Amino acid sequence: GALRNAFVGQLLITICATLIGVPVGVLGGTFLAEYARGRKIARLISILSDIMVSVPSIVIGTFIYAVVVRPVGHFNGWAGALALSIIMVPVVLRTTEDMLSLVPWTLREAAFALGAPYYKVITQVVYRGAATGILTGVLLSIARVAGETAPLLFTSFNNSFFSTDMKQPVASLTVTIFQYAMGPYDNWHEQAWAASFVITLFILLLTITGRLIIKWRYK
């Protein structure tokens, strides 16, 4: 009768979304900043990622419902993680591109002069110089999706019971808040307020952490 299932489900979905969205976003930002610098395709992808940032999350939820949930035949946690990862990708991509672009080109030239191949220059020189900014973008993207409800209504839906099976409907804190707030029972309302406080505190801590990292790295 409490919120353990919702906490565990939200944690599972968010972790899976992070594992999907962050690598795609970092690799996309690396491609734009390093391999497609100054090309038309880079500008096109940047514009598309800016558009994706402003797309309502419910649109992404309905898209994943159409391409994943409907063919499978039932709601599932992986669909929810995929929807949240799509929301994360443009945030991480743009942050990674901007941070890598700030690394001076002379550092790359110095590594080239020592005979380092381009992929080692990126992984051992450029990434190290931009690691703090990329990490901040990752934290902000997690904070962005941690409070999303609409995509999960169409994908992972909800589960009144404790379940860690991502192939089936999984409980999430945001959808539980929505359902409990709409319910007729006072204890549901109290739990919805408590869950809302926890999510707000979590997002606040992530945002403060990102700001402190920026302040520490770029004094």
Side-chain angles (χ1 to χ4, degrees):
L3 295 171
R4 185 183 69 152
N5 61 328
F7 278 111
V8 174
Q10 184 77 35
L11 188 62
L12 276 175
I13 293 173
T14 304
I15 289 175
C16 291
T18 303
L19 293 177
I20 297 172
V22 169
V24 174
V26 171
L27 291 176
T30 303
F31 172 76
L32 295 181
E34 299 295 331
Y35 295 98
R37 185 191 296 260
R39 298 183 183 176
K40 291 183 179 179
I41 187 173
R43 290 195 294 271
L44 177 62
I45 295 176
S46 296
I47 292 172
L48 290 177
S49 64
D50 290 338
I51 294 173
M52 286 294 296
V53 170
S54 59
V55 168
S57 58
I58 194 171
V59 175
I60 297 174
T62 53
F63 171 74
I64 296 299
Y65 174 81
V67 300
V68 177
V69 177
R70 283 288 297 275
V72 173
H74 58 82
F75 299 104
N76 59 88
W78 287 115
L82 183 60
L84 295 186
S85 68
I86 292 177
I87 298 174
M88 295 179 70
V89 165
V91 179
V92 179
L93 186 146
R94 291 293 292 154
T95 305
T96 302
E97 181 189 4
D98 292 340
M99 292 301 103
L100 296 183
S101 299
L102 292 176
V103 177
W105 189 256
T106 52
L107 289 179
R108 297 175 177 84
E109 292 177 341
F112 290 145
L114 295 175
Y118 201 0
Y119 74 94
K120 283 193 175 182
V121 173
I122 294 173
T123 55
Q124 298 184 13
V125 177
V126 181
Y127 277 167
R128 287 187 179 184
T132 305
I134 295 174
L135 177 60
T136 303
V138 171
L139 293 178
L140 293 177
S141 68
I142 295 174
R144 166 84 165 81
V145 302
E148 290 290 348
T149 305
L152 301 181
L153 284 171
F154 292 93
T155 52
S156 61
F157 195 59
N158 204 10
N159 195 336
S160 299
F161 303 97
F162 183 83
S163 175
T164 57
D165 186 4
M166 291 290 285
K167 296 179 181 179
Q168 300 296 326
V170 176
S172 59
L173 208 56
T174 51
V175 176
T176 302
I177 291 171
F178 171 73
Q179 293 184 345
Y180 278 18
M182 300 292 289
Y185 308 112
D186 289 337
N187 63 323
W188 281 19
H189 297 162
E190 293 173 359
Q191 291 185 26
W193 279 112
S196 301
F197 174 74
V198 170
I199 284 185
T200 303
L201 190 63
F202 174 73
I203 296 175
L204 176 64
L205 289 176
L206 274 182
T207 306
I208 292 176
T209 302
R211 296 294 181 182
L212 289 177
I213 290 174
I214 292 177
K215 185 177 181 181
W216 166 73
R217 182 64 177 82
Y218 304 104
K219 293 180 181 179

